[in-house]
Amino acid sequence: MLSESTEMASTSVLFEWPPTLSNAQIHELTLLATSYAFSNGLLYLPPAERQPPIPESAIHAPLALFPSPFPRSLFEHAQRLQHIYNVLYARIAQDEEFLDRIMGTENGVGKVDDFIGQLWTGWKQLRDEGLVQPLHLGLFRSDYLLHTPPGQSPTLKQVEFNTISVSFGSLSERTAGLHRYLQASTQYYNTSPHLRLENFPENDTIAGLAEGLAAAHKAYGDEKSWILFVVQPDERNVFDQRPLEYKLLEKHSIHVIRQTFDELGHSATLDPDTRVLRVSCSPDLHPNGFLEISTVYFRAGYAPIEYQTSCQYQTRFLLERSRAINCPTIALQLAGGKKVQEVLTQPGVLEYFLSNEKKWGNPMFDKQELQELRQSFMKMWGLDVGKDLLTPDYDALESGKEGFGVAKARELALSLVLKPQREGGGNNVYKDSIPPFLDTLPPEERQAWIAMELIVPANGTGNYLIRAGGANEAAVKVVVVSELGIFGWALFGDKGADIREKEAGWLVRTKGKGSDEGGVATGFSVLDSVLLVDG
C-alpha cells in the first residue's frame, strides 16, 4: 500500500501540470508534433460540404503536446474493470426480457423515444421471424474521469459505456506513439522527473480491435468472406478506420469493403434459403461482382439523423436478418443506452447479471469485484421516477405534474448532467441549462432522460493544445479535463459457450475545462495519451 506522502505527491502532479516551457521549446515541440502527425497518419480529412471521391488533402488531428498525468493504480484498475464490463454487457444483450422492459415500446424508453422505438420494434419483428445468427460481436469503450472533490484523493468514475461505433482506437495508438517520440527525441527538455519512458504505457489498440473482428470472421467459418464496414457518407475520420482494415489484411488475411447505408440499400442482398449476406461490387474489382460478408462492423448507425427514411431502417434490419455477425447487433446497441446505465446502479441488478450462476454459468464475479464495479458509478436516476428513485411515478406522468425525479433534478441542477439515449456527443444538458430545459420537456418524454451527478475533475491541471485549420495553429496553454477510455471486445451468443473477451487498449481525450462536451470529432476535445504517476 502506498504511503500517504507518496499518494499526495503523485496526486499533486495533477495540479502542477504541464511543466513550464520557453517559447522556443513550445515552438519546437509543436513543429515536431505536427510533423509526426502528418508522417504517421494522425490525421483528419479537412471540413468540406462534400468530400471528394479521392482525398486531396488532410489536416492533423487536434493534439495535446504533453501526455496527461493519471494515477498508475487507477489506470490498471480501469483495465481490470474492462473484463467485467465486457461480460456484463454481453449478458445484457442476451437478456431479451430485460431489454424489452427497459428499452421497449410498451413501457420502456422506446415508448417515448422514436429512434429507440424504431430500433426495438424492428428487432422484435426479427426475433419473431427467427434470427439465424446467434453470435454477437461487441467492440466496446468504457469512458472514465478522475473524480477529485476538494481535499480528497482521485477515484475512478465512469462517464458512459459505448457499444456502437467506438472511435479513435487507431488515432489513440498514434497519439501514444507521438508522445513517446517527443520523450525520446527531446526528453521534454528535462522539465519534469515524471517524463520518463517507463511512464508512457504502450498502446496496441489497432491490433486489439482487429483481433475482435478477426475472431468474429473466423467464427463465421468462411475464410473467403469479407468484413463489411458500414460508414457515414463524407466521413472525415477515415484515418481512424483504415488502420483496422490494414491490420485485418496484414495480420489476418481478411479483406474489408466499406459502404454507406444508402449504398447498401442498392447493393446488399440475402440468399432466401441460407440468409447469406452478399454485397455487390464492380466486376472490375471482384470477378463474381459480389462479396459474401462474414461480419458487419458499424461505424455508422448510432444517430437518428442517419435514418432519414424507412429505407435506412430496412437496410439495418436486413443486415441483422442475415447470417453475418453484426458488431453491434441491435440488442447490443440498445444495451448501451443511458437508461440501461442508470438501471445498473439499482440494487440487485449487478448481482443478477454477474453473480447468478444458475442463469449465466461462468464466469462469476465475487462481492469485492461487484463492489469495485459499483464504486465506478456516479449517482443517477430517471426523470420519470418517484421518491424511491427507482419506480416510475405514473400519477405524475399521467397528470402532467412535476414528479420527484424532475424536482430533484431542479434542486441539484448545478451538480448534474441530463442525458438522453444518444451517442456521438453534443446531446446532453448541463447545470444551469437544466431548469429551463425541464420547463419545456413534455412529461411523456421524461422517461427518455436520466439525471447523473457530475464528476468533479482536478482543478488546475493544464496542457498545451494544438488544433489545425484555424488562423492560429500555435499551441495554447489551457486548464483541461482528461477522459480515459478503455477498449475491449466480446464475442458471445452460442448457448452454453463461454464469452470470449479481451481488454484492447485505451485512449485519452482532453478538453478545456470550460467545455462540458467531450467529442473529438465534434470539435470539443483533442487527442491525448497517458503519463502514469505512482499513486
Side-chain angles (χ1 to χ4, degrees):
M1 181 178 293
L2 291 165
S3 67
E4 184 175 345
S5 60
T6 302
E7 187 171 313
M8 290 297 290
S10 66
T11 302
S12 70
V13 180
L14 301 175
F15 304 97
E16 300 170 356
W17 200 254
T20 301
L21 298 173
S22 70
N23 288 337
Q25 289 169 336
I26 294 171
H27 176 79
E28 181 66 13
L29 286 171
T30 302
L31 176 60
L32 292 174
T34 54
S35 298
Y36 182 98
F38 280 109
S39 301
N40 290 273
L42 189 42
L43 304 171
Y44 271 124
L45 293 178
E49 187 172 326
R50 293 295 302 270
Q51 293 293 338
I54 297 177
E56 300 170 347
S57 62
I59 59 175
H60 68 75
L63 303 168
L65 270 187
F66 282 88
S68 288
F70 204 93
R72 189 185 307 270
S73 60
L74 295 182
F75 178 76
E76 293 171 350
H77 180 52
Q79 290 178 310
R80 292 193 302 272
L81 285 182
Q82 188 62 37
H83 295 285
I84 308 177
Y85 273 118
N86 289 342
V87 173
L88 173 62
Y89 276 84
R91 289 177 176 167
I92 292 171
Q94 294 177 86
D95 196 317
E96 296 175 356
E97 182 179 350
F98 175 83
L99 286 175
D100 288 347
R101 177 167 58 87
I102 303 302
M103 303 297 280
T105 58
E106 295 182 4
N107 293 303
V109 171
K111 182 179 180 179
V112 297
D113 185 309
D114 182 65
F115 176 55
I116 298 298
Q118 292 268 18
L119 289 178
W120 181 86
T121 300
W123 177 50
K124 178 67 166 58
Q125 181 177 344
L126 293 175
R127 285 185 284 157
D128 291 342
E129 293 175 4
L131 291 166
V132 298
Q133 178 53 261
L135 290 175
H136 311 237
L137 175 66
L139 298 188
F140 302 138
R141 196 186 70 226
S142 185
D143 293 333
Y144 302 93
L145 288 172
L146 291 178
H147 185 48
T148 316
Q152 298 183 29
S153 297
T155 55
L156 191 72
K157 295 295 183 180
Q158 187 184 64
V159 178
E160 62 184 359
F161 192 89
N162 304 278
T163 63
I164 182 170
S165 189
V166 294
S167 57
F168 298 111
S170 299
L171 294 190
S172 67
E173 180 174 324
R174 303 284 192 247
T175 308
L178 161 66
H179 288 151
R180 292 173 68 87
Y181 159 73
L182 291 178
Q183 192 281 334
S185 62
T186 70
Q187 288 74 53
Y188 279 46
Y189 307 108
N190 299 311
T191 53
S192 169
H194 297 283
L195 292 169
R196 302 191 308 272
L197 190 59
E198 59 266 31
N199 294 334
F200 290 68
E202 294 278 0
N203 191 6
D204 296 320
T205 305
I206 298 171
L209 295 177
E211 182 183 14
L213 290 164
H217 176 84
K218 184 176 180 180
Y220 179 81
D222 187 333
E223 62 181 21
K224 294 182 180 179
S225 58
W226 288 43
I227 290 179
L228 167 67
F229 282 23
V230 183
V231 298
Q232 295 177 330
D234 300 309
E235 175 63 73
R236 294 181 58 211
N237 199 20
V238 293
F239 301 104
D240 186 54
Q241 300 170 7
R242 289 288 189 180
L244 294 175
E245 176 183 340
Y246 306 150
K247 184 65 70 173
L248 285 166
L249 186 59
E250 293 165 4
K251 187 173 181 179
H252 304 282
S253 299
I254 299 170
H255 292 269
V256 166
I257 183 172
R258 297 165 56 89
Q259 292 198 3
T260 65
F261 271 126
D262 287 345
E263 289 170 332
L264 289 167
H266 300 286
S267 68
T269 58
L270 296 188
D271 184 290
D273 298 320
T274 64
R275 302 259 195 109
V276 164
L277 174 64
R278 294 186 176 91
V279 173
S280 62
C281 64
S282 168
D284 294 332
L285 302 178
H286 194 277
N288 291 332
F290 64 84
L291 306 169
E292 181 174 344
I293 301 301
S294 68
T295 306
V296 181
Y297 173 42
F298 288 96
R299 290 298 295 255
Y302 54 82
I305 196 171
E306 298 180 80
Y307 300 85
Q308 294 287 332
T309 70
S310 62
C311 295
Q312 287 85 15
Y313 281 109
Q314 292 308 313
T315 298
R316 178 69 189 274
F317 302 148
L318 180 142
L319 297 176
E320 185 121 355
R321 187 177 282 113
S322 75
R323 259 197 66 214
I325 299 169
N326 278 227
C327 177
T329 57
I330 296 173
L332 196 48
Q333 181 173 350
L334 293 174
K338 305 301 185 293
K339 187 64 179 179
V340 171
Q341 184 185 10
E342 180 253 314
V343 171
L344 289 174
T345 69
Q346 298 178 10
V349 179
L350 285 185
E351 286 77 6
Y352 167 75
F353 282 110
L354 298 176
S355 299
N356 188 341
E357 187 171 6
K358 183 177 180 181
K359 180 173 179 62
W360 300 109
N362 284 314
M364 288 292 105
F365 299 94
D366 59 31
K367 290 182 179 179
Q368 180 178 345
E369 290 171 310
L370 265 63
Q371 182 62 12
E372 289 178 349
L373 197 72
R374 190 171 279 114
Q375 287 173 348
S376 70
F377 297 161
M378 293 298 288
K379 187 174 183 180
M380 59 190 85
W381 65 90
L383 292 184
D384 60 329
V385 297
K387 288 187 177 181
D388 61 0
L389 296 183
L390 301 176
T391 309
D393 186 344
Y394 293 111
D395 291 339
L397 292 172
E398 290 176 5
S399 65
K401 295 180 180 179
E402 189 166 279
F404 187 81
V406 173
K408 189 174 179 66
R410 285 189 187 277
E411 176 189 352
L412 301 175
L414 293 181
S415 62
L416 296 179
V417 54
L418 303 185
K419 295 184 174 185
Q421 314 303 309
R422 293 290 179 269
E423 304 297 334
N427 302 298
N428 300 334
V429 182
Y430 292 86
K431 299 179 185 178
D432 52 8
S433 298
I434 290 175
F437 172 78
L438 293 174
D439 291 339
T440 62
L441 182 67
E444 64 271 14
E445 293 184 16
R446 294 173 191 164
Q447 193 172 5
W449 290 81
I450 69 166
M452 175 177 167
E453 288 189 350
L454 283 168
I455 301 168
V456 180
N459 187 19
T461 306
N463 211 323
Y464 293 90
L465 309 185
I466 311 171
R467 289 185 170 89
N472 181 7
E473 296 190 20
V476 178
K477 185 179 180 180
V478 294
V479 177
V480 299
V481 176
S482 295
E483 185 172 309
L484 173 71
I486 303 293
F487 292 97
W489 64 266
L491 180 65
F492 58 93
D494 268 340
K495 292 182 179 179
D498 291 335
I499 296 170
R500 294 181 58 190
E501 59 84 21
K502 283 190 177 182
E503 179 262 318
W506 50 271
L507 71 79
V508 178
R509 292 170 296 174
T510 291
K511 63 183 179 181
K513 195 174 182 186
S515 173
D516 289 319
E517 295 291 350
V520 177
T522 48
F524 298 105
S525 295
V526 305
L527 293 165
D528 198 351
S529 75
V530 167
L531 179 75
L532 297 179
V533 294
D534 290 320

